[in-house]
Amino acid sequence: MEAQDEKSQTSRPSDSKSLTITSSTPQLLKSELPTEELMGMGQKLDTLSPNIWSDEDSDEILETTDSDELKDKAPPDRPYWANKIEYLLAQVGFSVGLSTIWRFPYLCFHNGGGSFLIIYILMLFLIGVPLLFLEMAAGQRMRQGSIGVWKVISPWIGGVGYTSFMVCCIVGLYYSVLMAWSLFYLVQSFQSPLPWSVCPLLRNSSTYDPECVRTTSTTYFWYRNVLMATDKIEMGGLPVKHLSVSVFVTWLIICISMIRGPKSSGKMLYVSVILPYFILFCLLIRSLMLEGAKFGLDSLLAAQVPALYSVEVWRRTGNQIFLSMGHGFGSFIAISSYIPRSNNCVMDAFAVALLNLVASLTAMVFVFATMGHLATKNNNKCYVKNAETVMNLIVTGVLPPEVQPPDSLYYEPSSIYPKWFKNLPEQMKSMILPHLSNCNLSEQLKEVMEGPGVAFVAVTDTISVFSGSTLWAIVIFVLLANLGLSTMIGIMQGIITPLQDTFASLRKQTKLLTVGICVLMFLGSLIFVRPSGSYYVNLLDDYWASLPLLLIVILENVAMAWIYGARRFLADLIIMLGRPISPIFRWLWCFLSPFVLLVLFVNTLIHLCLKNITYLAWDSSISNEVIRTYPSWAKVLLIISIVITILPIPAYFLYTLIDVAFSVSVIHSKVTVIFKPEAKGNSLKPHPRLQVMQSQKVNKMDK
């Protein structure tokens, strides 16, 4: 044997070689081929075939393969989550964010109510769950972050990981500001009365600030005390001092939570994930006891059938699923890379989706019940104001005394006012109507459901309707701060994990890396705490985020389903988990998901190109919010940010194309590469096998 090996080695330089590769990935090539052959091949050949195994092979795979073999393939220095609970908390915490509390109810109200819910649940389980399962399984199977995973799947789409990394960085910059706003409100909540409950007095005067008198105290506090907002985005200014401190504290908390990797962040998640669910349940019970809650819930359940056929409603619903769940960030991949390969990621995907849905529905019922109460309260004020107007007109002799409303109207305006007005003679009604405001409960509900951009104003309005408002303010802003923290931990995992996987030396410097990233992110976040910073947050959150995320998810789906191969990936998972997996996932990945994602992407692109991009700004001259159009330079900034974010995808594709072209030209004179699938009857191993056979090349010209 030694003689044969020596002969083989001595004859290798002069031999022409023939490689027979059954199935492999670049990562596997790296581990199986001799070093000199890897250098010649450039490690860039994409040898993946989409049709390796049929559905009927599942039982055979389970019988012939020891599923425990995969467990020992993880890098020895890679940390693990302490237990399955911490892992699930990390996934759920990243998935359930601040948008769950307000954006979901807002979209439901303005997009068909019950019809929106039907579309959302349908898309969640047909599109959201399969793609969530795909990302979790990819991270768990490859044991790497987003950058490494997609290079392993196929070098041609290796840039997807870099784009996910950039999305996490940009979203982390402005999402931390949302958490900072929550922390500032939390600190301000330890006062009685609450600072936003009344208008402030002018300095050295007993007169209220006229700018506050012209609007509500909560709106004034938001724009003037919290944001110190300018009237337009063009007006700059230095970062606001108290918000800068809040952002610093935010990043300090995030840094402490992440300083030791999964070991430290896992412990923090017990509080930042479980506590919000408990608080949401308490808020739900309290809101259902409010007057007018039933009206709000009736508005929620009233399904608008035309919304089911609206392309715009489907577009908004799809975008909400991906923005709310967190597909495309790479965070699910990063979090899953720290769990043993035998973990049942199928059940995890369903669990995370269901908990996200429960949180969304709970928050929605709470918001609609509370908004119904606020609408009822405002409508009662409208009734009382109309009654006072009638009394004044009677005193001045404009109206006869017969139309005077009863005194009991002031105690129960919602029931007495409609009866009083209905019993008036038609002649009297025609005399009164020109002087009265239109008190419509549905219109009042539309006013309080203003939009997702004023969530903090709505929350502070909500607090004002509870008895013991100081306690409830603390509770609600603890909820928002914890939701922001758990999401930021997931975003940071999407940043730190790819860096450590790409640069192995950083694995031993987790603390230094975490501190360095947090410092840089803090400095970048200061852009968004300037007086005009909230307008930039709206620009990115409303118009920038959707396109890169949809493109990322499309390429991830196509890469796994059609480049690596959905059948092969499912077979890998069957081996990995040691249990069968429904083949329906293959059909969803291969056909339904790409089609829906492509339609959403094109629709979103058309919508962004045709629609004027606007933002809600504060106009101090009239003390009101006005809709302004973003200036042309802001549109250019938006386009540049989108292009820069997705640039790594085509750039890495070209890099791979050039590298492979060069490698093939070198290989052509030395190696013949033959690709063929493994025989069905062969005993399968945990990963695709690579067989190298040497044979003397026969030159037909010599025969």
Side-chain angles (χ1 to χ4, degrees):
M1 289 293 294
E2 293 179 0
Q4 290 179 356
D5 291 341
E6 184 178 354
K7 181 179 179 180
S8 174
Q9 292 174 5
T10 55
S11 63
R12 178 173 296 175
S14 60
D15 288 345
S16 298
K17 294 176 281 294
S18 175
L19 280 169
T20 301
I21 303 176
T22 58
S23 59
S24 65
T25 65
Q27 184 68 23
L28 296 174
L29 281 171
K30 181 177 180 180
S31 61
E32 303 263 351
L33 277 176
T35 304
E36 58 269 26
E37 292 184 8
L38 276 175
M39 294 177 64
M41 295 179 68
Q43 305 178 31
K44 296 298 181 184
L45 287 178
D46 189 7
T47 63
L48 306 173
S49 171
N51 297 304
I52 301 298
W53 297 306
S54 62
D55 297 336
E56 292 78 9
D57 291 327
S58 298
D59 294 337
E60 183 181 350
I61 293 169
L62 290 173
E63 291 174 2
T64 57
T65 307
D66 182 6
S67 61
D68 291 334
E69 292 180 34
L70 278 171
K71 296 180 182 178
D72 301 327
K73 299 296 183 180
D77 58 342
R78 193 172 193 84
Y80 284 95
W81 294 103
N83 51 60
K84 180 65 175 286
I85 295 177
E86 290 186 8
Y87 163 74
L88 278 177
L89 289 177
Q91 300 282 28
V92 174
F94 171 69
S95 176
V96 180
L98 292 173
S99 63
T100 303
I101 301 298
W102 186 251
R103 186 182 291 273
F104 186 87
Y106 165 79
L107 289 173
C108 183
F109 179 79
H110 289 282
N111 293 278
S115 298
F116 175 85
L117 282 179
I118 295 172
I119 298 172
Y120 185 88
I121 294 174
L122 183 66
M123 292 189 68
L124 177 66
F125 287 101
L126 289 181
I127 307 297
V129 171
L131 293 177
L132 180 59
F133 169 45
L134 187 150
E135 290 195 346
M136 287 182 172
Q140 186 174 312
R141 169 67 179 88
M142 307 301 177
R143 305 285 293 160
Q144 296 190 54
S146 57
I147 294 177
V149 161
W150 301 113
K151 285 183 180 180
V152 168
I153 299 303
S154 174
W156 302 104
I157 53 97
V160 169
Y162 292 99
T163 296
S164 294
F165 174 82
M166 294 183 66
V167 167
C168 282
C169 290
I170 297 175
V171 173
L173 291 177
Y174 73 80
Y175 202 93
S176 63
V177 175
L178 305 184
M179 184 179 168
W181 292 343
S182 301
L183 288 178
F184 179 75
Y185 266 105
L186 176 60
V187 173
Q188 296 297 311
S189 299
F190 290 90
Q191 302 180 42
S192 184
L194 294 171
W196 57 80
S197 61
V198 293
C199 287
L201 298 173
L202 293 174
R203 183 174 296 181
N204 301 324
S205 173
S206 59
T207 306
Y208 290 112
D209 189 330
E211 187 177 351
C212 180
V213 173
R214 291 193 296 264
T215 183
T216 63
S217 58
T218 52
T219 303
Y220 175 85
F221 183 84
W222 166 245
Y223 283 106
R224 279 298 181 220
N225 291 63
V226 179
L227 300 180
M228 294 187 175
T230 57
D231 287 5
K232 296 181 179 179
I233 191 175
E234 292 90 342
M235 302 176 182
L238 295 175
V240 178
K241 184 177 180 180
H242 60 265
L243 287 182
S244 300
V245 174
S246 296
V247 169
F248 175 78
V249 174
T250 295
W251 281 108
L252 181 62
I253 295 173
I254 295 170
C255 185
I256 294 173
S257 302
M258 300 289 299
I259 194 71
R260 296 179 60 196
K263 292 182 180 179
S264 58
S265 59
K267 303 299 180 289
M268 186 69 71
L269 289 168
Y270 282 103
V271 177
S272 63
V273 177
I274 296 177
L275 183 60
Y277 275 89
F278 176 75
I279 294 175
L280 269 178
F281 179 75
C282 295
L283 291 173
L284 173 65
I285 300 301
R286 181 67 184 89
S287 63
L288 293 176
M289 299 166 61
L290 297 172
E291 177 191 4
K294 184 178 181 300
F295 169 74
L297 295 180
D298 289 341
S299 302
L300 164 64
L301 298 175
Q304 301 173 15
V305 177
L308 293 173
Y309 311 104
S310 172
V311 176
E312 182 66 12
V313 172
W314 283 82
R315 181 188 69 81
R316 291 180 178 179
T317 306
N319 285 339
Q320 171 62 17
I321 286 177
F322 295 113
L323 290 175
S324 174
M325 289 288 292
H327 298 88
F329 283 83
S331 297
F332 286 125
I333 295 174
I335 295 170
S336 298
S337 69
Y338 297 112
I339 196 75
R341 284 193 170 116
S342 59
N343 174 64
N344 188 353
C345 48
V346 182
M347 295 303 298
D348 293 344
F350 278 99
V352 171
L354 283 173
L355 288 173
N356 181 282
L357 180 62
V358 168
S360 299
L361 293 178
T362 304
M364 184 175 61
V365 172
F366 158 66
V367 168
F368 269 82
T370 308
M371 294 299 105
H373 174 74
L374 285 175
T376 303
K377 187 178 178 181
N378 292 342
N379 206 50
N380 288 342
K381 290 179 180 179
C382 181
Y383 288 151
V384 172
K385 184 178 179 181
N386 281 350
E388 292 175 350
T389 301
V390 171
M391 292 297 295
N392 292 333
L393 292 174
I394 292 174
V395 171
T396 57
V398 176
L399 295 176
E402 291 79 7
V403 299
Q404 180 176 345
D407 294 337
S408 58
L409 182 146
Y410 295 93
Y411 300 101
E412 295 182 6
S414 59
S415 59
I416 302 299
Y417 181 91
K419 293 180 181 178
W420 162 75
F421 188 81
K422 183 180 180 181
N423 293 330
L424 289 175
E426 292 298 328
Q427 184 180 1
M428 295 296 179
K429 288 182 181 179
S430 60
M431 294 175 60
I432 295 176
L433 279 175
H435 305 283
L436 302 182
S437 301
N438 182 23
C439 299
N440 186 292
L441 199 53
S442 298
E443 292 299 322
Q444 294 292 340
L445 184 62
K446 288 182 181 179
E447 289 184 12
V448 296
M449 296 288 287
E450 291 176 342
V454 289
F456 286 91
V457 177
V459 168
T460 49
D461 279 334
T462 300
I463 294 169
S464 66
V465 306
F466 294 153
S467 57
S469 56
T470 299
L471 174 62
W472 284 108
I474 295 172
V475 168
I476 288 178
F477 288 112
V478 165
L479 163 69
L480 296 179
N482 275 278
L483 287 175
L485 175 60
S486 58
T487 302
M488 282 302 304
I489 288 176
I491 291 173
M492 288 295 290
Q493 290 286 2
I495 297 174
I496 293 176
T497 301
L499 287 177
Q500 290 181 321
D501 290 336
T502 304
F503 306 100
S505 59
L506 297 178
R507 294 176 187 171
K508 299 179 181 180
Q509 305 293 334
T510 301
K511 295 181 180 179
L512 183 62
L513 176 64
T514 303
V515 172
I517 290 176
C518 288
V519 169
L520 293 175
M521 295 290 281
F522 161 69
L523 295 176
S525 299
L526 294 178
I527 299 173
F528 301 102
V529 296
R530 299 186 305 152
S532 60
S534 62
Y535 305 143
Y536 290 92
V537 172
N538 293 335
L539 179 67
L540 292 176
D541 196 47
D542 294 342
Y543 299 103
W544 166 80
S546 298
L547 275 179
L549 287 176
L550 281 173
L551 182 61
I552 289 170
V553 176
I554 289 172
L555 292 177
E556 288 179 353
N557 191 169
V558 171
M560 189 63 78
W562 293 102
I563 299 179
Y564 188 87
R567 282 180 175 171
R568 187 204 301 181
F569 186 59
L570 282 178
D572 284 351
L573 298 183
I574 291 171
I575 295 170
M576 190 170 72
L577 305 182
R579 58 177 63 87
I581 298 175
S582 173
I584 193 174
F585 285 105
R586 176 164 62 89
W587 299 107
L588 292 174
W589 289 336
C590 290
F591 304 107
L592 183 62
S593 295
F595 173 75
V596 174
L597 289 171
L598 189 60
V599 171
L600 283 175
F601 179 79
V602 173
N603 200 305
T604 302
L605 184 61
I606 294 174
H607 179 78
L608 188 61
C609 294
L610 298 182
K611 181 184 177 182
N612 289 329
I613 57 175
T614 59
Y615 63 101
L616 199 64
W618 178 250
D619 191 334
S620 57
S621 62
I622 60 175
S623 297
N624 200 4
E625 297 161 328
V626 295
I627 297 177
R628 301 189 190 278
T629 303
Y630 278 106
S632 56
W633 60 265
K635 298 176 183 178
V636 173
L637 180 64
L638 175 64
I639 295 172
I640 291 175
S641 61
I642 292 175
V643 171
I644 290 177
T645 306
I646 65 177
L647 186 61
I649 296 173
Y652 201 87
F653 177 85
L654 291 176
Y655 165 76
T656 305
L657 181 64
I658 295 172
D659 199 17
V660 168
F662 175 76
S663 300
V664 169
S665 65
V666 174
I667 294 170
H668 184 71
S669 60
K670 298 180 180 180
V671 179
T672 301
V673 181
I674 305 172
F675 302 101
K676 60 183 181 181
E678 298 174 335
K680 185 175 178 180
N682 289 350
S683 177
L684 298 173
K685 293 183 179 180
H687 54 72
R689 296 167 299 169
L690 185 145
Q691 180 183 4
V692 181
M693 299 188 306
Q694 298 183 13
S695 62
Q696 187 71 30
K697 185 177 180 181
V698 180
N699 192 333
K700 294 183 179 180
M701 298 297 296
D702 296 337
K703 288 186 178 181

